[in-house]
Amino acid sequence: MRGATLAGALLAAGCAGFNASTLQPGVSTLPQIEAALGKPAMVWKNPDGTSQLAYPFGPSGTQTFMVFVGADGKLQRITGVLNEAQFGLVQAGMTKEQVLRILGPSGALWTQTFPRTNTLAWTWLYCAPGNFQNYFNVMFDVSSGLVRSTGQSPVMLGREGLTPSCTQTVLGA
């Protein structure tokens, strides 16, 4: 059942701007992953031989996917990370690297420094529950590089000041 669900999700993702329909957990290799999804924005190699690849879809995309590859070089799973559950993992005191491993890179246009408050803000656009666009913000202390706080705010760019709706492809389990 899980394999069928992931295969269906990967097929749906093929309609979202990349061709993941051919990827199969336990079978697809890193070259096949990159052929289907392109080069990842970020890659982390773990001491156990596994790796994690970040695929943000933008530049103003509302989705980032993490691709997990086993020590054997084969696809383990693909997980969408711009969601409430993942945001809840970001806590005060975390490093930038820890946040990147949870959410992937924020939009370059949405990275701002506020010198008066010694704050660095990273922001991600995402589909909130109800399929409306929101921003998720992580505020870092510039001196220490550690998370101070997080917050969310609606996107108010739609018609008549309403939050724009969005659609979201759900991948992984």
Side-chain angles (χ1 to χ4, degrees):
M1 176 72 175
R2 181 176 175 213
T5 302
L6 183 56
L10 290 173
L11 182 60
C15 300
F18 53 90
N19 184 16
S21 62
T22 60
L23 298 178
Q24 297 177 14
V27 176
S28 298
T29 63
L30 184 57
Q32 291 169 321
I33 293 166
E34 288 186 354
L37 302 178
K39 291 283 184 191
M42 304 184 89
V43 176
W44 296 272
K45 303 274 185 188
N46 300 316
D48 65 358
T50 62
S51 56
Q52 177 180 342
L53 297 75
Y55 283 94
F57 289 92
S60 296
T62 58
Q63 296 183 285
T64 295
F65 296 99
M66 292 294 180
V67 175
F68 297 88
V69 178
D72 61 358
K74 297 193 176 151
L75 174 66
Q76 292 179 326
R77 71 187 183 283
I78 299 176
T79 304
V81 297
L82 298 185
N83 58 60
E84 304 291 328
Q86 290 295 110
F87 299 151
L89 298 175
V90 179
Q91 301 293 316
M94 285 185 154
T95 65
K96 293 176 190 174
E97 183 66 20
Q98 289 172 309
V99 173
L100 288 170
R101 291 216 43 171
I102 294 171
L103 301 176
S106 71
L109 297 176
W110 299 322
T111 297
Q112 299 179 14
T113 302
F114 302 95
R116 292 184 67 199
T117 60
N118 197 38
T119 302
L120 170 66
W122 286 356
T123 300
W124 291 262
L125 179 66
Y126 74 102
C127 288
N131 289 323
F132 291 97
Q133 293 180 11
N134 271 9
Y135 294 116
F136 179 73
N137 308 295
V138 177
M139 305 300 182
F140 295 92
D141 178 274
V142 171
S143 300
S144 69
L146 300 178
V147 173
R148 278 191 189 155
S149 63
T150 65
Q152 298 176 2
S153 56
V155 175
M156 299 301 284
L157 300 175
R159 185 178 169 158
E160 298 177 16
L162 300 175
T163 303
S165 62
C166 60
T167 57
Q168 185 173 14
T169 301
V170 179
L171 294 181

